[in-house]
Amino acid sequence: EYEILKPEVKDGIAVVTISRPKALNALNTRFFEEMDDYIASINNDATIKVLVITGEGKAFVAGADIAEMVNKNQSEGSAFSRLGQATFRSLEKLNIPVIAAINGFALGGGLELTMACDFRTASTKAKFGQPEVNLGLIPGYAGTQRLSRLVGQGDALYLLMTADMIGADDALRIGLVQ
Ligand code: DAK
């Protein structure tokens, strides 16, 4: 039983909706546990040919769950970071195409999640950013690495160091979305 993920399958296409709209689908420990389980189930199902990931409401994912992170000490923070890195690595290694269907805010850990997918598609309402620096953090889930590979070092540093949010047109222009 998932609390956060809403999975569906139709004609070999799996669509999983991240559904915690009251917190703009922010990523907490429960999300990573459910996503690990879900990825394993997709891996074991040869009838599924494509996976689409999207978010419910006005956000795709507005980042890691700040309310959960704020109480962590150094070793707990480190474990939370490694947990997300492992989940996103498993997603990246899935042997079917994975598409992020970005319906709204994709910030921080949310943008990192999209970058572990093979393709990113965006609605005109989508907003992208790496605002970790505003919290005194750097991205915890390998976003620094994936972002610079996708868009080049200049635009990656711009997003990481300014925390600016960009819209879908600019994301398309810099090659962040297809
Ligand atoms: N976490 C938890 N709750 C969040 C959230 C988040 N990231 N983003 C939004 N929410 C909650 C809000 O607190 C609010 O809850 P209530 O007050 O209603 O209870 C609800 O979602 C609706 O949000 P807003 O009222 O703020 O909605 P608006 O449309 O006015 O604004 C916004 C939307 C996306 C501009 C705004 O919510 C916002 O700025 N959100 C925070 C964005 C953000 O800073 N995200 C975090 C990025 S940092 C690491 C591990 C992980 C990470 C880094 C390091 N290590 C352990 C090393 C990852 C970091 C990040 O992802």
Side-chain angles (χ1 to χ4, degrees):
E1 284 292 306
Y2 293 140
E3 284 173 12
I4 297 171
L5 299 185
K6 288 188 183 164
E8 294 167 80
V9 183
K10 201 177 169 200
D11 299 332
I13 300 172
V15 178
V16 66
T17 303
I18 302 166
S19 178
R20 238 187 120 213
K22 285 186 182 156
L24 303 188
N25 305 325
L27 306 178
N28 58 8
T29 298
R30 174 86 197 187
F31 163 83
F32 289 117
E33 289 168 355
E34 291 189 10
M35 198 66 185
D36 284 344
D37 184 81
Y38 180 70
I39 292 168
S41 74
I42 294 276
N43 249 334
N44 291 328
D45 187 343
T47 66
I48 293 175
K49 307 298 182 200
V50 177
L51 170 62
V52 179
I53 304 178
T54 194
E56 185 169 325
K58 69 177 176 182
F60 175 79
V61 166
D65 189 332
I66 298 171
E68 180 178 335
M69 279 197 299
V70 77
N71 294 317
K72 291 193 186 300
N73 63 28
Q74 190 176 1
S75 65
E76 290 164 343
S78 180
F80 191 56
S81 188
R82 271 196 282 271
L83 177 70
Q85 287 178 21
T87 304
F88 291 179
R89 184 80 186 110
S90 317
L91 186 63
E92 190 171 57
K93 279 167 55 187
L94 267 179
N95 59 2
I96 55 169
V98 181
I99 302 168
I102 305 159
N103 49 300
F105 295 110
L107 303 175
L111 182 53
E112 292 176 290
L113 167 58
T114 75
M115 293 190 290
C117 300
D118 298 303
F119 304 105
R120 283 149 296 284
T121 60
S123 89
T124 52
K125 291 180 188 157
K127 297 271 182 211
F128 302 81
Q130 296 281 179
E132 286 86 346
V133 69
N134 288 339
L135 302 171
L137 297 169
I138 65 160
Y141 309 130
T144 53
Q145 307 308 302
R146 291 195 179 99
L147 186 59
S148 54
R149 284 170 203 161
L150 281 170
V151 305
Q153 200 173 347
D155 285 320
L157 282 176
Y158 177 82
L159 289 169
L160 291 161
M161 294 174 76
T162 64
D164 263 8
M165 257 194 251
I166 61 170
D169 287 345
D170 280 330
L172 183 64
R173 177 179 58 77
I174 66 174
L176 187 53
V177 302
Q178 284 71 54

